[in-house]
């Protein structure tokens, strides 16, 4: 009877051991996948993360510069439109003055 109890306990413990071994195997596979996804883990992934941060900063700076250039282009475009409008007004004014001169010359 004691032998039977010990045998059952031994089987139960072996089952628990197999379960834990399977859990460890799964965890090891998960860690390997994670290392592979991060570029090998360790120092390699630290370098990759540092590079990503550097590139993100550079990208942010470039986007900021692009926005400034767009704003400048809009301002210059507006100035050009205003200049063209002023040129048109001056032409009309000049034409009106010339027409007035002709009218006064023909009236005399």
């Amino acid at each position: 009877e004691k032998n039977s109890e010990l045998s059952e306990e031994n089987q139960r413990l072996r089952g628990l051991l197999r379960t834990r071994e399977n859990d460890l195997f799964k965890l090891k596979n998960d860690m390997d996948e994670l290392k592979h996804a991060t570029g090998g883990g360790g120092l390699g992934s630290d370098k990759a993360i540092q590079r990503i941060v550097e590139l993100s900063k550079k990208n942010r700076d470039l986007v900021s510069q692009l926005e400034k250039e767009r704003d400048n282009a809009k301002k210059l475009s507006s100035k050009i439109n205003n200049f063209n409008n002023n040129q048109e007004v001056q032409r009309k004014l000049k034409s009106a003055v010339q027409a007035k001169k002709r009218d006064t010359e023909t009236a005399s």
Side-chain angles (χ1 to χ4, degrees):
E1 188 176 294
K2 184 82 169 165
N3 195 15
S4 171
E5 288 176 12
L6 290 176
S7 194
E8 287 175 9
E9 181 70 14
N10 190 21
Q11 285 178 351
R12 187 182 70 78
L13 290 174
R14 284 181 188 253
L16 286 173
L17 180 62
R18 270 186 253 124
T19 302
R20 295 295 176 224
E21 285 175 344
N22 286 337
D23 291 344
L24 285 173
F25 180 76
K26 288 177 185 176
L27 288 172
K28 184 180 177 191
N29 283 340
D30 290 345
M31 288 199 46
D32 289 342
E33 287 178 19
L34 183 61
K35 282 183 183 178
H36 179 67
T38 59
L43 293 177
S45 66
D46 289 345
K47 287 181 183 179
I49 290 170
Q50 184 179 8
R51 183 71 175 144
I52 289 169
V53 169
E54 289 172 8
L55 290 173
S56 295
K57 287 179 182 178
K58 188 172 184 178
N59 187 40
R60 194 175 325 123
D61 291 341
L62 290 173
V63 167
S64 175
Q65 290 175 7
L66 178 63
E67 289 300 319
K68 287 178 185 177
E69 291 301 321
R70 283 182 181 161
D71 288 343
N72 286 339
K74 285 180 184 177
K75 288 176 185 176
L76 289 174
S77 178
S78 177
K79 284 182 180 181
I80 289 170
N81 287 337
N82 287 339
F83 179 77
N84 288 338
N85 289 340
N86 286 339
Q87 291 290 326
E88 186 65 30
V89 168
Q90 286 179 0
R91 274 189 231 118
K92 288 179 180 178
L93 184 61
K94 190 174 184 179
S95 294
V97 167
Q98 288 174 349
K100 183 73 171 171
K101 268 187 181 178
R102 280 187 294 236
D103 289 345
T104 56
E105 287 174 359
T106 55
S108 354

